[in-house]
CSV table of all heavy atoms in Angstrom, one decimal:
chain,number,residue,atom,x,y,z
T,756,TYR,N,0.8,-1.2,0.0
T,756,TYR,CA,0.0,0.0,0.0
T,756,TYR,C,0.9,1.2,0.0
T,756,TYR,O,0.5,2.3,0.5
T,756,TYR,CB,-0.9,0.0,1.2
T,756,TYR,CG,-1.9,-1.2,1.1
T,756,TYR,CD1,-1.7,-2.2,2.1
T,756,TYR,CD2,-3.0,-1.2,0.3
T,756,TYR,CE1,-2.6,-3.4,2.0
T,756,TYR,CE2,-3.9,-2.3,0.3
T,756,TYR,CZ,-3.6,-3.4,1.1
T,756,TYR,OH,-4.5,-4.4,1.1
T,757,GLU,N,2.1,1.1,-0.6
T,757,GLU,CA,3.0,2.3,-0.7
T,757,GLU,C,2.3,3.5,-1.2
T,757,GLU,O,1.7,3.4,-2.4
T,757,GLU,CB,4.2,1.9,-1.5
T,757,GLU,CG,5.2,3.0,-1.7
T,757,GLU,CD,6.0,3.4,-0.4
T,757,GLU,OE1,6.2,2.4,0.4
T,757,GLU,OE2,6.4,4.6,-0.2
T,758,PRO,N,2.3,4.6,-0.5
T,758,PRO,CA,1.8,5.9,-1.1
T,758,PRO,C,2.4,6.3,-2.3
T,758,PRO,O,3.8,6.2,-2.4
T,758,PRO,CB,1.8,6.9,0.0
T,758,PRO,CG,2.0,6.1,1.3
T,758,PRO,CD,2.8,4.9,0.8
T,759,ASP,N,1.8,6.9,-3.3
T,759,ASP,CA,2.5,7.4,-4.5
T,759,ASP,C,3.5,6.3,-5.0
T,759,ASP,O,4.6,6.6,-5.4
T,759,ASP,CB,3.3,8.7,-4.2
T,759,ASP,CG,3.6,9.5,-5.5
T,759,ASP,OD1,3.2,9.0,-6.6
T,759,ASP,OD2,4.2,10.5,-5.4
T,760,TYR,N,3.0,5.1,-5.2
T,760,TYR,CA,3.9,4.0,-5.6
T,760,TYR,C,4.6,4.2,-6.9
T,760,TYR,O,5.8,3.7,-7.0
T,760,TYR,CB,3.1,2.7,-5.5
T,760,TYR,CG,2.1,2.5,-6.7
T,760,TYR,CD1,2.5,1.8,-7.9
T,760,TYR,CD2,0.9,3.1,-6.6
T,760,TYR,CE1,1.5,1.6,-8.9
T,760,TYR,CE2,0.0,2.9,-7.6
T,760,TYR,CZ,0.3,2.2,-8.8
T,760,TYR,OH,-0.5,2.1,-9.9
T,761,ILE,N,4.0,4.9,-7.9
T,761,ILE,CA,4.7,4.9,-9.1
T,761,ILE,C,6.0,5.7,-8.9
T,761,ILE,O,7.0,5.3,-9.5
T,761,ILE,CB,3.7,5.7,-10.1
T,761,ILE,CG1,2.6,4.7,-10.6
T,761,ILE,CG2,4.6,6.1,-11.4
T,761,ILE,CD1,1.6,5.3,-11.4
T,762,LYS,N,5.9,6.9,-8.3
T,762,LYS,CA,7.1,7.6,-8.0
T,762,LYS,C,8.1,6.8,-7.1
T,762,LYS,O,9.4,6.8,-7.5
T,762,LYS,CB,6.8,9.0,-7.3
T,762,LYS,CG,7.9,9.8,-7.0
T,762,LYS,CD,7.5,11.1,-6.2
T,762,LYS,CE,8.8,11.9,-5.8
T,762,LYS,NZ,8.3,13.1,-5.0
T,763,ALA,N,7.6,6.1,-6.1
T,763,ALA,CA,8.5,5.4,-5.3
T,763,ALA,C,9.2,4.2,-5.9
T,763,ALA,O,10.3,4.0,-5.7
T,763,ALA,CB,7.7,4.9,-4.1
T,764,PHE,N,8.5,3.5,-6.8
T,764,PHE,CA,9.0,2.3,-7.5
T,764,PHE,C,10.0,2.8,-8.7
T,764,PHE,O,11.0,2.1,-8.8
T,764,PHE,CB,8.0,1.5,-8.0
T,764,PHE,CG,7.2,0.8,-6.9
T,764,PHE,CD1,5.9,0.2,-7.3
T,764,PHE,CD2,7.5,0.8,-5.6
T,764,PHE,CE1,5.2,-0.4,-6.2
T,764,PHE,CE2,6.7,0.2,-4.6
T,764,PHE,CZ,5.6,-0.5,-5.0
T,765,TRP,N,9.5,3.6,-9.5
T,765,TRP,CA,10.2,3.8,-10.8
T,765,TRP,C,10.6,5.3,-11.1
T,765,TRP,O,11.4,5.6,-11.9
T,765,TRP,CB,9.3,3.5,-11.9
T,765,TRP,CG,8.9,2.0,-11.8
T,765,TRP,CD1,9.8,0.9,-12.0
T,765,TRP,CD2,7.7,1.4,-11.5
T,765,TRP,NE1,9.1,-0.3,-11.8
T,765,TRP,CE2,7.8,0.0,-11.5
T,765,TRP,CE3,6.4,1.9,-11.2
T,765,TRP,CZ2,6.8,-0.9,-11.3
T,765,TRP,CZ3,5.4,1.2,-11.0
T,765,TRP,CH2,5.5,-0.3,-11.0
T,766,GLY,N,10.2,6.3,-10.3
T,766,GLY,CA,10.5,7.7,-10.5
T,766,GLY,C,10.1,8.1,-11.9
T,766,GLY,O,8.9,7.9,-12.3
T,767,ASP,N,11.0,8.8,-12.6
T,767,ASP,CA,10.7,9.4,-14.0
T,767,ASP,C,10.7,8.3,-15.0
T,767,ASP,O,10.4,8.6,-16.2
T,767,ASP,CB,11.8,10.3,-14.3
T,767,ASP,CG,11.6,11.6,-13.4
T,767,ASP,OD1,10.6,11.9,-12.8
T,767,ASP,OD2,12.6,12.4,-13.4
T,768,ASN,N,10.9,7.0,-14.7
T,768,ASN,CA,10.9,5.9,-15.8
T,768,ASN,C,9.5,5.4,-16.1
T,768,ASN,O,9.4,4.7,-17.1
T,768,ASN,CB,11.7,4.8,-15.3
T,768,ASN,CG,13.2,5.1,-15.4
T,768,ASN,OD1,13.7,5.7,-16.3
T,768,ASN,ND2,14.0,4.5,-14.3
T,769,TYR,N,8.5,5.8,-15.3
T,769,TYR,CA,7.2,5.2,-15.5
T,769,TYR,C,6.6,5.4,-16.8
T,769,TYR,O,6.1,4.4,-17.4
T,769,TYR,CB,6.3,5.5,-14.4
T,769,TYR,CG,5.0,4.8,-14.5
T,769,TYR,CD1,4.8,3.5,-14.0
T,769,TYR,CD2,3.8,5.3,-15.0
T,769,TYR,CE1,3.8,2.7,-14.1
T,769,TYR,CE2,2.7,4.7,-15.2
T,769,TYR,CZ,2.7,3.3,-14.6
T,769,TYR,OH,1.4,2.6,-14.8
T,770,ASP,N,6.6,6.6,-17.4
T,770,ASP,CA,6.0,6.8,-18.6
T,770,ASP,C,6.5,6.0,-19.7
T,770,ASP,O,5.9,5.4,-20.6
T,770,ASP,CB,6.0,8.3,-18.9
T,770,ASP,CG,5.1,9.2,-18.1
T,770,ASP,OD1,4.2,8.6,-17.4
T,770,ASP,OD2,5.3,10.4,-18.0
T,771,LYS,N,7.8,5.9,-19.8
T,771,LYS,CA,8.5,5.0,-20.8
T,771,LYS,C,8.1,3.6,-20.6
T,771,LYS,O,7.8,2.9,-21.6
T,771,LYS,CB,10.1,5.2,-20.7
T,771,LYS,CG,10.8,4.4,-21.7
T,771,LYS,CD,12.3,4.6,-21.7
T,771,LYS,CE,13.1,3.9,-22.7
T,771,LYS,NZ,14.5,4.2,-22.6
T,772,LEU,N,8.1,3.1,-19.3
T,772,LEU,CA,7.7,1.7,-19.0
T,772,LEU,C,6.3,1.5,-19.5
T,772,LEU,O,6.0,0.4,-20.1
T,772,LEU,CB,7.8,1.4,-17.5
T,772,LEU,CG,9.3,1.2,-17.1
T,772,LEU,CD1,9.3,1.2,-15.5
T,772,LEU,CD2,9.9,0.0,-17.6
T,773,LEU,N,5.4,2.4,-19.3
T,773,LEU,CA,4.1,2.2,-19.7
T,773,LEU,C,3.8,2.1,-21.2
T,773,LEU,O,3.1,1.3,-21.6
T,773,LEU,CB,3.2,3.3,-19.1
T,773,LEU,CG,1.6,3.3,-19.4
T,773,LEU,CD1,1.1,2.0,-18.8
T,773,LEU,CD2,1.0,4.5,-18.8
T,774,SER,N,4.7,2.9,-21.9
T,774,SER,CA,4.6,2.8,-23.4
T,774,SER,C,5.1,1.5,-23.9
T,774,SER,O,4.6,0.9,-24.9
T,774,SER,CB,5.4,3.9,-24.0
T,774,SER,OG,6.8,3.9,-23.8
T,775,ILE,N,6.2,0.9,-23.2
T,775,ILE,CA,6.6,-0.4,-23.6
T,775,ILE,C,5.6,-1.4,-23.3
T,775,ILE,O,5.4,-2.4,-24.1
T,775,ILE,CB,8.0,-0.7,-22.9
T,775,ILE,CG1,9.0,0.4,-23.3
T,775,ILE,CG2,8.4,-2.1,-23.1
T,775,ILE,CD1,10.3,0.3,-22.5
T,776,LYS,N,4.9,-1.3,-22.1
T,776,LYS,CA,3.9,-2.3,-21.8
T,776,LYS,C,2.8,-2.3,-22.9
T,776,LYS,O,2.3,-3.3,-23.3
T,776,LYS,CB,3.3,-1.8,-20.4
T,776,LYS,CG,2.0,-2.4,-20.1
T,776,LYS,CD,2.0,-3.9,-19.7
T,776,LYS,CE,0.7,-4.4,-19.3
T,776,LYS,NZ,0.8,-5.8,-19.0
T,777,GLN,N,2.4,-1.1,-23.4
T,777,GLN,CA,1.4,-1.0,-24.3
T,777,GLN,C,1.8,-1.5,-25.6
T,777,GLN,O,0.9,-2.0,-26.4
T,777,GLN,CB,0.8,0.5,-24.4
T,777,GLN,CG,0.2,1.0,-23.2
T,777,GLN,CD,0.0,2.5,-23.2
T,777,GLN,OE1,0.7,3.3,-23.9
T,777,GLN,NE2,-0.9,3.0,-22.2
T,778,LYS,N,3.1,-1.5,-25.9
T,778,LYS,CA,3.5,-2.0,-27.2
T,778,LYS,C,3.5,-3.5,-27.3
T,778,LYS,O,3.0,-4.1,-28.2
T,778,LYS,CB,5.0,-1.5,-27.3
T,778,LYS,CG,5.6,-2.2,-28.6
T,778,LYS,CD,7.1,-1.7,-28.7
T,778,LYS,CE,7.9,-2.5,-29.9
T,778,LYS,NZ,9.2,-2.0,-29.9
T,779,TYR,N,4.0,-4.2,-26.2
T,779,TYR,CA,4.0,-5.6,-26.2
T,779,TYR,C,2.8,-6.3,-25.6
T,779,TYR,O,2.6,-7.5,-25.8
T,779,TYR,CB,5.3,-6.0,-25.4
T,779,TYR,CG,6.5,-5.7,-26.0
T,779,TYR,CD1,7.3,-4.6,-25.7
T,779,TYR,CD2,7.0,-6.6,-27.0
T,779,TYR,CE1,8.5,-4.3,-26.3
T,779,TYR,CE2,8.3,-6.3,-27.6
T,779,TYR,CZ,8.9,-5.1,-27.3
T,779,TYR,OH,10.2,-4.9,-28.0
T,780,ASP,N,1.9,-5.6,-24.9
T,780,ASP,CA,0.6,-6.1,-24.4
T,780,ASP,C,-0.5,-5.1,-24.6
T,780,ASP,O,-1.0,-4.6,-23.7
T,780,ASP,CB,0.8,-6.4,-23.0
T,780,ASP,CG,-0.4,-7.1,-22.3
T,780,ASP,OD1,-1.2,-7.6,-23.1
T,780,ASP,OD2,-0.4,-7.2,-21.1
């Protein structure tokens, strides 16, 4: 239940990761 988990887990990398996710899945 980490608050603001996107920032805590990946920082500024999340948007790029999401685009890769959408490409392959």
